[in-house]
Amino acid sequence: MSQSSEPPINEKTLIEVKNLKKYFPVKSGILQRIRGWVKAVDDVSFVIEEGETLGLVGESGCGKTTLGRTMLRLVESTAGKVFFRGLNIFELSPQELKSMRRNLQIIFQDPYSSLDPSLAIGEQITEGLRIHSIGDREERREVLKELLHHVGLEDYHAKRYPHEFSGGQRQRIGIARALALRPVFIVCDEPVSALDVSIQAQILNLLKDLQRDFNLTYLFIAHNMGAIEHISDRVAVMYLGKIVELAPRDQLFKNPFHPYTQALMSAIPSADHHRHKQRIILAGDVPSPLDPPSGCRFHPRCPAAFKPCPIEEPPLKEISPGHWVACWLME
Amino acid sequence: MASSITIPQDKPEKAVNHLLDVQGLKTYFFTDEGIVKAVDGLDLKVRRGEIFGLVGESGCGKTVTALSILRLIPKPGRIVEGEIFFDNQAILKLSDREMRQLRGNRISMIFQEPLMSLNPVFTIGSQVAEVLQLHQGLDKETAWEQAINLLDQVEIPDPSDKARSYPHEISGGQAQRVMIATALALDPQLLITDEPTTALDVTIQAQILDLIRELSRDRNTSVILITHDLGVVAEMCHRVAVMYAGRIVEEADVGFFDRPMHPYTQGLIASIPIPGEVKNRLPTIQGNVPDLMGMPDQCRFAERCEARTDYNLNICTEIEPDLRQIHPNHAVRCWLFQSHEDHQAPLIVTEAGVIKRVVS
Ligand SMILES: Nc1ncnc2c1ncn2[C@@H]1O[C@H](COP(=O)(O)OP(=O)(O)OP(=O)(O)O)[C@@H](O)[C@H]1O
Ligand code: SF4
Ligand SMILES: [Mg+2]
């Protein structure tokens, strides 16, 4: 990556991701020879400031979830570094990593499969406290009560099992579990996309309240632009393993520069039929990350592609303060 | 968007010859745990050439409605009451053979999971060609050529190559396009699409919706578009019905998004973040989507309804309101707008479509 794409670091920086890569081998045949690599995250760099929400948006398979999980070292990275308050997470010893885990939590998309069906939810919420030997039984019970209260559940819910709860309630349980260790940073991986429409707003509000009350920092992953805009301070747009645009929220929504961001925004169906805009309908399918297009990965679908696009990859460049774009049109 | 489409003109209700007319439909599932009243007294009219949106949250009965129209309700489900007229024909009275004919020729359906509707052991080209052979009586060779033509029309790249692919070799978006090609081959009068784009990426969704709109416009095909996405409805449909817990609670021309009247629809629309209009907090609907088992005889939204408490309405938890016309082409199922014995409707809708408080 060129010099221009170094993210700025200052004292407010909580997380710094540097040239992060995660490649998955694709094997075939009886010998399980490696046939190629899926470059799920391919040289991604950005910073997240203390207390902010960085939204990460992109279509399915573009690498959002892998990025979130690699950052937390839930899957091992292929290359790159992730710093938490200046400490490289990838270089921690198992012991150091265990205590670091308290700071870093994740909320999953599917509130159904992420809970253990055979365990009362109270025990699942406080499991982390037991693993880290925090407090005695009595204290843990107090913490549990507080947590249930914070996420809008009742004391008596603690003894119940996951199947007794609705989708929205299960997501509240998942959030309580993530909060138990008083984390600093939470990856929210599509936390509302599996929920009923009328429940989504409840959970989005809850996440905002908790952020304020506990001074949390979020990486909020979603494919829904409405939810992303509602909750984020800054937004990163991902396409086939790369960040193609990153900007403060209002700037990105008012003035998207990357042709992919523009298409993504114009494709959002809006319930307000007065604001219908010109739709940009992209041709073709999302290409496979196994064999991504040469040069700019978006070029085969890009309505504005020109000479350099199929040949060389455009660098992520800061075109105005805080607004980063990877597109040859910017050169 | 809606303005570029000619909306079928409003005629007096009697004079309209609807393509589909569903009256008082009840479809129940008789499970071991009890009776699930998945669709419970549903009325629906679809005009020729119109795109009709059926919206609602998960489990409210949208798919069961579609399967009822096709008479494809699986066990332990059964249509227990109601009438369905298709082109003035009472289809619940047809024999199974006649019904199969109708499904093969005049009504077709596109499902959320297109791969499930395609046969995994035949190439996509041969599946479209087969429809042409059966339906239009083309010979094998012409049918194959015509199939490639249709695949080209739905923008499958390299159609003559791709025609030889098997369903597992194509993407979800392409599979959905193959389903639309099949619908084009059939040239049905009514196309039912059940969440045709929910499994797809946003930029692919835009392509598929565009194809459906074109198909309806070019061939005057009526479309029932089932979705939980109010944005999709606003952009695609002429008329919309909002379902809640097995019932239609509001039905109107698509312009009603400017003035939804049912407390549920109002709450739902308000709770969806609108791009470009950031609010600090989103308005929410309290509580959860109700269980359809043993639904009491009352307004099904009552538990979650704030209007009920605001207006101090006792009747909501005692008797269920009707779906009643409150303005031309706008029907609502809510006690706020209808009176009954001791209950005086607290609101009226003026001729201009404005909601006014009744002063007593
Ligand atoms: N085979 C079945 N046996 C028992 N209950 C069923 C069956 N099929 C559907 N139901 C019930 O009927 C109700 C309506 O289901 P339906 O599939 O029509 O909802 P939907 O509106 O299409 O939801 P979604 O948005 O999730 O697709 C639900 O409560 C569902 O559990
Ligand atoms: S009938 Fe009563 S409870 Fe039902 S939606 Fe109307 S006001 Fe609310
Ligand atoms: Mg359904």
Side-chain angles (χ1 to χ4, degrees):
Chain A
M1 267 204 166
S2 62
Q3 201 58 37
S4 60
S5 59
E6 284 299 306
I9 317 283
N10 59 35
E11 65 285 357
K12 282 192 293 183
T13 298
L14 179 73
I15 303 263
E16 187 198 354
V17 175
K18 251 183 137 170
N19 306 109
L20 187 65
K21 293 183 184 173
K22 175 64 195 179
Y23 296 176
F24 293 104
V26 180
K27 298 175 182 164
S28 64
I30 355 171
L31 295 175
Q32 288 291 289
R33 271 215 191 86
I34 294 177
R35 192 160 57 86
W37 299 90
V38 170
K39 300 181 174 180
V41 176
D42 200 9
D43 203 354
V44 163
S45 303
F46 57 88
V47 298
I48 307 180
E49 288 183 2
E50 192 112 37
E52 82 164 338
T53 299
L54 178 68
L56 181 63
V57 69
E59 298 181 280
S60 67
C62 75
K64 306 185 294 292
T65 294
T66 308
L67 174 56
R69 293 187 184 194
T70 313
M71 280 171 67
L72 299 190
R73 219 174 138 178
L74 297 174
V75 284
E76 286 299 321
S77 61
T78 304
K81 301 182 177 110
V82 174
F83 296 95
F84 176 84
R85 290 192 173 136
L87 229 62
N88 186 348
I89 296 174
F90 297 163
E91 280 171 0
L92 300 177
S93 69
Q95 204 50 44
E96 290 168 322
L97 183 65
K98 189 183 164 196
S99 57
M100 174 65 86
R101 286 244 179 273
R102 292 188 57 176
N103 297 316
L104 313 169
Q105 290 293 320
I106 185 163
I107 298 166
F108 297 98
Q109 167 169 7
D110 186 353
Y112 297 85
S113 63
S114 59
L115 294 172
D116 180 346
S118 63
L119 218 56
I121 63 119
E123 284 180 55
Q124 303 198 46
I125 291 171
T126 51
E127 195 174 18
L129 296 172
R130 284 197 304 279
I131 290 172
H132 289 272
S133 325
I134 298 165
D136 56 29
R137 272 181 78 109
E138 199 48 47
E139 283 163 337
R140 286 203 288 266
R141 196 168 304 148
E142 271 315 300
V143 174
L144 174 61
K145 260 174 125 171
E146 261 173 55
L147 285 167
L148 287 170
H149 176 87
H150 279 306
V151 300
L153 293 170
E154 304 292 333
D155 293 355
Y156 66 82
H157 284 134
K159 294 208 162 46
R160 300 206 172 160
Y161 291 84
H163 73 266
E164 297 173 72
F165 293 93
S166 69
Q169 287 174 318
R170 286 183 224 201
Q171 199 52 290
R172 290 176 192 270
I173 296 165
I175 293 170
R177 184 178 56 183
L179 282 180
L181 291 167
R182 292 297 174 106
V184 178
F185 175 63
I186 302 182
V187 172
C188 308
D189 190 1
E190 303 256 11
V192 298
S193 24
L195 302 178
D196 275 317
V197 188
S198 72
I199 307 300
Q200 292 186 3
Q202 295 176 359
I203 299 297
L204 288 174
N205 283 345
L206 175 64
L207 287 171
K208 265 199 165 177
D209 292 347
L210 294 171
Q211 176 166 48
R212 186 195 53 215
D213 296 348
F214 296 100
N215 189 31
L216 295 167
T217 303
Y218 291 145
L219 177 70
F220 186 91
I221 302 174
H223 63 270
N224 176 332
M225 286 293 226
I228 283 273
E229 187 190 24
H230 176 70
I231 203 155
S232 308
D233 298 302
R234 291 187 304 137
V235 180
V237 182
M238 212 170 164
Y239 188 77
L240 282 183
K242 289 263 179 203
I243 287 180
V244 297
E245 185 157 8
L246 193 159
R249 179 206 37 213
D250 292 343
Q251 207 160 322
L252 188 90
F253 275 80
K254 284 204 190 82
N255 213 354
F257 276 111
H258 199 284
Y260 176 64
T261 316
Q262 290 171 354
L264 206 56
M265 296 212 173
S266 84
I268 318 168
S270 155
D272 181 351
H273 67 131
H274 292 306
R275 56 170 55 247
H276 284 172
K277 59 260 136 167
Q278 196 55 41
R279 250 178 205 276
I280 305 166
I281 296 191
L282 292 177
D285 275 313
V286 184
S288 150
L290 175 59
D291 188 15
S294 63
C296 170
R297 293 169 189 210
F298 185 57
H299 88 262
R301 302 177 78 200
C302 181
F306 64 116
K307 261 213 301 335
C309 306
I311 302 161
E312 209 181 326
E313 189 155 351
L316 188 64
K317 267 195 152 175
E318 193 169 21
I319 53 155
S320 64
H323 195 147
W324 300 72
V325 185
C327 173
W328 286 121
L329 292 170
M330 300 296 124
E331 296 295 304
Chain B
M1 189 75 22
S3 58
S4 64
I5 301 167
T6 40
I7 297 172
Q9 278 308 301
D10 298 324
K11 297 183 198 127
E13 202 60 26
K14 286 258 156 43
V16 180
N17 178 5
H18 289 99
L19 179 65
L20 182 76
D21 186 351
V22 179
Q23 299 177 359
L25 178 73
K26 295 189 178 178
T27 306
Y28 294 176
F29 288 88
F30 299 87
T31 68
D32 294 342
E33 290 85 50
I35 301 173
V36 179
K37 299 182 175 178
V39 173
D40 202 14
L42 177 126
D43 298 304
L44 196 109
K45 288 180 167 57
V46 179
R47 295 174 194 167
R48 288 166 206 276
E50 101 178 329
I51 303 184
F52 186 96
L54 193 58
V55 272
E57 297 181 85
S58 185
C60 72
K62 305 183 294 294
T63 299
V64 172
T65 301
L67 294 177
S68 301
I69 295 167
L70 292 163
R71 277 180 47 189
L72 288 175
I73 292 294
K75 288 213 161 64
R78 192 151 49 81
I79 295 175
V80 294
E81 227 181 281
E83 294 272 19
I84 302 175
F85 296 97
F86 177 76
D87 214 2
N88 300 317
Q89 213 175 6
I91 66 173
L92 296 182
K93 300 204 171 75
L94 297 180
S95 71
D96 287 350
R97 221 190 104 253
E98 290 168 318
M99 192 60 213
R100 260 198 307 278
Q101 280 277 321
L102 196 67
R103 274 202 300 271
N105 293 319
R106 297 169 66 195
I107 309 179
S108 67
M109 179 146 173
I110 296 177
F111 295 93
Q112 174 170 353
E113 291 295 336
L115 286 174
M116 277 170 39
S117 336
L118 291 167
N119 191 329
V121 302
F122 294 111
T123 64
I124 57 169
S126 63
Q127 297 191 48
V128 179
E130 194 195 341
V131 172
L132 290 164
Q133 275 175 271
L134 282 174
H135 182 73
Q136 300 190 3
L138 301 183
D139 64 62
K140 216 170 160 185
E141 214 164 306
T142 326
W144 180 261
E145 270 166 31
Q146 185 59 25
I148 289 172
N149 237 327
L150 288 173
L151 292 176
D152 191 34
Q153 264 185 51
V154 296
E155 287 155 39
I156 298 265
D158 310 318
S160 23
D161 272 358
K162 266 278 150 56
R164 290 176 212 288
S165 309
Y166 289 88
H168 71 268
E169 295 170 324
I170 60 178
S171 69
Q174 286 178 345
Q176 209 55 292
R177 270 173 267 186
V178 174
M179 289 310 298
I180 294 173
T182 316
L184 286 169
L186 273 171
D187 200 8
Q189 287 164 284
L190 175 66
L191 176 66
I192 303 177
T193 64
D194 189 4
E195 307 267 6
T197 58
T198 306
L200 305 177
D201 283 324
V202 217
T203 59
I204 307 298
Q205 161 171 301
Q207 299 169 351
I208 300 296
L209 292 177
D210 219 45
L211 276 172
I212 293 175
R213 192 186 288 125
E214 246 172 60
L215 175 139
S216 166
R217 195 176 43 209
D218 296 350
R219 306 192 176 207
N220 204 34
T221 311
S222 304
V223 178
I224 298 180
L225 183 77
I226 296 177
T227 176
H228 64 267
D229 190 331
L230 287 160
V232 168
V233 158
E235 298 214 344
M236 291 285 293
C237 301
H238 305 123
R239 282 183 73 72
V240 192
V242 180
M243 273 188 94
Y244 187 79
R247 297 270 203 211
I248 287 177
V249 295
E250 183 153 12
E251 192 193 335
D253 287 347
V254 75
F256 100 99
F257 278 96
D258 289 345
R259 41 191 160 78
M261 295 195 184
H262 195 282
Y264 169 66
T265 322
Q266 285 186 348
L268 196 63
I269 290 179
S271 78
I272 300 167
I274 299 174
E277 281 174 33
V278 181
K279 304 170 190 153
N280 193 24
R281 288 184 72 73
L282 293 167
T284 57
I285 302 177
Q286 56 178 348
N288 290 304
V289 181
D291 189 354
L292 290 181
M293 194 96 70
M295 193 58 83
D297 185 19
Q298 61 166 49
C299 171
R300 297 183 170 196
F301 187 59
E303 262 71 54
R304 306 176 72 186
C305 183
E306 280 171 31
R308 176 175 65 93
T309 35
D310 289 352
Y311 287 90
N312 223 336
L313 302 179
N314 298 322
I315 191 168
C316 304
T317 47
E318 287 159 8
I319 309 171
E320 185 166 23
D322 299 329
L323 182 64
R324 196 171 293 177
Q325 186 102 356
I326 55 168
H327 197 248
N329 292 310
H330 197 152
V332 176
R333 185 190 290 280
C334 174
W335 286 121
L336 288 171
F337 303 98
Q338 48 190 282
S339 301
H340 181 81
E341 293 173 4
D342 298 337
H343 164 70
Q344 166 72 48
L347 301 177
I348 50 159
V349 178
T350 67
E351 227 164 279
V354 182
I355 302 176
K356 277 235 167 83
R357 256 195 114 123
V358 177
V359 274
S360 50

